[in-house]
Amino acid sequence: MSSSAFTDTIAAVATPPGLGGVAIVRVSGPEVARVFPLLPKLPDPPPPRTACFTPLVDDAGEVLDEILALYFPAPRSYTGEDVLELHLHGNPHLCAEVLSLLATLDIRPAQPGEFTRRAFLNGRLDLTQAEAVEKIIHAPTREGRRAAVRLLDGGLGEAIGPVREALIDLLAQVEAHIDFEVEESGESVAPQLEEGLKTLLHALDPWVASRRTAERLFGGVRVVLAGRPNVGKSSLFNRLLGEERAIVTAIAGTTRDLIDRDVHLGPYPVRLIDTAGLRQTEDVIEAEGVGRSRRSAAQADLLLWVSDDPDEAPPEDLTRPCDVRIDNKRDAWGGTSGWQGEHRFVCAAKSDPDEVFEALRAGLGHLLGDVGGEESLTATARQGQALAEARQHLLAAQTLLRDDPDDLELIAEELHGAAHRLAELLGEIHGEDVLDRVFSSFCIGK
Ligand SMILES: Nc1nc2c(ncn2[C@@H]2O[C@H](COP(=O)(O)OP(=O)(O)O)[C@@H](O)[C@H]2O)c(=O)[nH]1
Ligand SMILES: [Mg+2]
């Protein structure tokens, strides 16, 4: 029987909606056994963790489908509860009928992420692993998915769990010195504390340093093409996409609104945005477009300034500096296409071969940050923030120690703060609101 804290039993279709070869209905909770009588060919209970072929019947005994049933008794299941998986033929009406049938057995439809939430609350996963499950499903690129798999494998918990324990040991030593007063014990805890803090920070640093990369990998990046009218922004946009998305004409002011498309640059999911050329204009529609261009440029993660005049000074009227200058229409003024340093690209007769645009894409991906082999990537803003805050507490403790090594109370307070953040990170301390936020982004059935 399940040792879970939950008294109700939930069910959901775990496969995507629509027609398919197979659809899986997953049932979890203490009352899974209510379903066994609907599987007449199987013993009650069915053999654990064994795929069993059986009819599925309704309460009148009518066969709904021929299915595979898989029974995972608690606690060795995804949720830690008794779990039954029904592998049906992938007909949405059939799935709906099976869920209605289960409802008559008092098995209610699951909320988004409820299976994983139960897995977390039953101690099958820590919170970072639960988040990794969602990221594996939603990761928009291969690299993101790989980073999420590492997290599901316990990467963050394995790295941070020992840090937290070492931190608590250190805290215990500091508190012992507070209790017995430095003079009485005769020796100072400062050297140990200094060494300990250094080690802890060393362990946290790579995770915090890769935070922005991680956020970009999972959250995506906005790359904006901006410039004066008629410099070839839309032509470049189309070449980067590999399709004629934006209208290109010789008339300045052709692009009046933002045009965006989702692409990948290296490992990053990118929203590439083409904008109206920046100029003073009496045309009301174009003026609105120019305003949008400016706002979009201000919000860019990577701002590309396109110019057809290699001597043109960088613009001063944008609210942020550009990251890359692209000298365009190279065929009109001579020059060789390609990178000139990290932040300048000479481009391109729009008739240039694909390799030129490949090099542009690769360089932009590189500017966003290389991910290859990065072992310490968090997956969510929540994780990044908890780690960054823990690090801040440790840095504050380090400063206090330098300023006044005897002020152990204040130092202990910072160590407590850091330990608390790390416990929150792993989900050892959590509020319902945090869990609601984490699990609301899941799909139903996961
Ligand atoms: N010679 C030359 N003309 C270009 C190049 N790229 C774009 N153009 C032309 O410049 C004009 C404006 O291009 P467009 O992409 O609409 O510029 P935008 O206003 O900055 O979006 C069009 O007539 C394009 O054919 C290029 O690399 N070389
Ligand atoms: Mg344009």
Side-chain angles (χ1 to χ4, degrees), residues 37-38 56-62 64 100-101 104-105:
L38 306 180
L56 170 69
V57 299
D58 64 13
D59 39 7
E62 187 188 331
L64 297 179
S100 305
L101 179 61
T104 65
L105 303 173

Side-chain angles (χ1 to χ4, degrees), residues 228-236 247-255 274-275 277 328-332 347-351:
R228 309 282 175 213
N230 225 23
V231 295
K233 298 180 295 302
S234 298
S235 306
L236 198 55
I247 298 172
V248 169
T249 76
I251 302 162
T254 299
T255 310
D274 183 24
T275 61
N328 205 26
K329 300 198 185 180
R330 185 263 301 154
D331 52 345
C347 180
K350 55 179 183 166
S351 54

